[in-house]
Amino acid sequence: MTQEIHGTVADGFEAVREEFAAFVAGERPDYEGQLSAYVHGRRVVDLWAGEAGGPDSLYGVFSSTKGAAHLVVALLVQEGTLELDRKVTYYWPEFAAEGKGQLTLRDLLAHRAGVVGLDAGFTAQELSDDRAVAERLADQKPFWRPGTAFGYHALVIGALTGEIVRRATGRTLQEVYEERIRAPYGLDFYLGLPEALEPRYRSVQPMMPTATQQALLDATPTGPHTLAAIAFNQQVPDPGDLVGYANSRAVRAKGPASAGGVAAARGLAGMYAAAISEAADRPPLLKPDTIADVGQIQSVGYDLVARAHKSYGLGFQATADMWHPFLGAGSFGHSGAGGSQAFADPRSGLAYGYTRRRMAFPGGAAPENERFVRAVHRAALAV
């Protein structure tokens, strides 16, 4: 039985609905997901599928959370509260331990700090609490000389930058995000989900790889003491998994800024629309110079954690280089382990958001994003 596709698209974006419908028709019967896009601040795509889900359903978006966290940092840099080329220790003196004293905020945002995790690992309780993560990382010896290489700080980058935000403003990153970004624009993208909204949360479902996909996973095991294992806290006796992390009420309640966000696709796309375009009768959150800065590639090449080519701007992924090369230069955003993706392409005015309930193979932006983004981008250029 083919699932019904719900929602609307603007004139000129009919091909996006067709692409979404074609994808859903080939998926498992229990597929559940949302697709949203804005062009120059106007919502042009608002689609969803899934018998139990809806446009207001909220999903764990894992590392897409980093986009919200680093939009906060971009605002504070724009206003002069933070300075990219100041040493981290200017804001956070304790971070100087174990040879980290020369690291700048710019390098930290570009995943060049070398403190991707702890030798001994974190407890599940610590991983739900950015303050606890930051406190422990201050004393951690870096895994490479800070500033000389880069590697994905998967579960900790938001805690590190969040500690700098707290030291500079007296407010947590989550509080600044709520007050300056989420609440004013009414975004369904939360770094700390109120308990009253829990009924809207759709628990993450585990990946169900095919036999071929499982063979690929089995062929690339991660040793317990590799950088990848440390970055994803897999070196501890009972590491848990990402599904359990997102489905933890403690994580959703505190909204750790690396991977603990909860969102609908409308909220993901709406945040990036607000960043680069007039929205809700408000000017763009970011000025043109700031937009250019956050999208400028700071780290590119071999990622020591991912062991693959990656590229990062100021806390954001360089979306055109990492995922969709047909996008405009300076596109910025972030994907999430469950398959979510969100970004802004300032040159076309496009803001995009996608969520799905079941984790996609092989992790990171789900493969279907390629066809959705291409269709949306083609339509955006034509209108």
Side-chain angles (χ1 to χ4, degrees):
M1 178 178 177
T2 301
Q3 284 216 49
E4 184 178 355
I5 304 302
H6 304 276
T8 60
V9 296
D11 291 345
F13 288 81
E14 294 84 0
V16 179
R17 185 186 184 98
E18 293 170 6
E19 197 68 59
F20 186 65
F23 166 74
V24 173
E27 279 293 285
R28 292 168 49 89
D30 64 353
Y31 169 81
E32 191 174 315
Q34 305 164 326
L35 177 63
S36 180
Y38 291 71
V39 175
H40 299 301
R42 178 174 72 102
R43 190 161 69 196
V44 294
V45 175
D46 184 34
L47 299 172
W48 64 94
E51 291 186 7
D56 298 323
S57 295
L58 299 171
Y59 300 90
V61 294
F62 297 96
S63 288
S64 291
T65 308
K66 294 177 175 71
H70 294 119
L71 182 54
V72 169
V73 174
L75 279 177
L76 296 176
V77 169
Q78 178 172 271
E79 295 167 357
T81 302
L82 298 176
E83 295 182 32
L84 290 171
D85 295 313
R86 280 200 182 274
K87 295 176 183 177
V88 170
T89 54
Y90 175 83
Y91 307 100
W92 182 9
E94 297 90 335
F95 190 75
E98 298 290 349
K100 303 191 296 294
Q102 299 303 306
L103 189 80
T104 65
L105 175 57
R106 182 187 300 276
D107 276 341
L108 174 60
L109 290 167
H111 293 268
R112 304 180 74 85
V115 283
V116 296
L118 292 177
D119 289 309
F122 298 100
T123 66
Q125 182 177 358
E126 286 172 332
L127 281 179
S128 71
D129 185 343
D130 280 348
R131 290 285 303 280
V133 169
E135 183 176 351
R136 294 202 64 194
L137 288 173
D139 294 329
Q140 172 65 39
K141 187 177 182 64
F143 291 94
W144 61 84
R145 184 178 175 186
T148 63
F150 74 98
Y152 188 40
H153 288 56
L155 295 178
V156 303
I157 189 71
L160 294 168
T161 52
E163 185 64 13
I164 293 171
V165 169
R166 188 182 71 84
R167 300 281 181 125
T169 68
R171 309 283 285 167
T172 67
L173 185 152
Q174 289 83 354
E175 288 170 338
V176 178
Y177 171 74
E178 176 67 21
E179 295 165 6
R180 300 285 305 279
I181 300 172
R182 197 213 66 76
Y185 292 90
L187 299 173
D188 267 343
F189 186 0
Y190 297 88
L191 270 63
L193 183 67
E195 190 168 2
L197 298 184
E198 274 290 315
R200 292 172 54 191
Y201 176 70
R202 303 286 292 159
S203 60
V204 173
Q205 295 176 325
M207 185 188 304
M208 296 194 70
T210 64
T212 300
Q213 290 170 342
Q214 187 61 54
L216 289 172
L217 293 172
D218 293 340
T220 55
T222 298
H225 305 297
T226 61
L227 279 177
I230 293 167
F232 286 92
N233 205 50
Q234 294 298 295
Q235 77 279 37
V236 298
D238 185 17
D241 59 20
L242 290 174
V243 173
Y245 176 86
N247 287 338
S248 161
R249 172 56 192 161
V251 168
R252 292 195 301 279
K254 293 184 177 180
S258 294
V262 174
R266 288 174 175 176
L268 292 173
M271 186 191 76
Y272 283 99
I276 65 168
S277 307
E278 291 187 10
D281 297 320
R282 298 170 180 267
L285 283 165
L286 302 182
K287 298 175 181 178
D289 284 351
T290 308
I291 291 172
D293 285 344
V294 299
Q296 186 178 55
I297 294 175
Q298 307 287 321
S299 292
V300 63
Y302 185 76
D303 181 311
L304 294 176
V305 172
R307 298 178 183 175
H309 177 94
K310 301 289 181 181
S311 51
Y312 298 98
L314 294 174
F316 297 92
Q317 293 173 334
T319 308
D321 183 61
M322 276 186 63
W323 298 108
H324 309 297
F326 50 85
L327 293 178
S331 298
F332 63 95
H334 222 288
S335 61
S340 64
Q341 186 167 38
F343 65 82
D345 178 1
R347 295 177 187 268
S348 65
L350 172 63
Y352 173 93
Y354 175 67
T355 60
R356 55 176 288 157
R357 187 179 185 194
R358 185 176 298 282
M359 295 190 75
F361 175 87
E368 62 265 26
N369 280 287
E370 172 70 16
R371 57 199 288 189
F372 298 161
V373 173
R374 191 176 290 277
V376 173
H377 184 251
R378 186 182 297 119
L381 294 180
V383 296

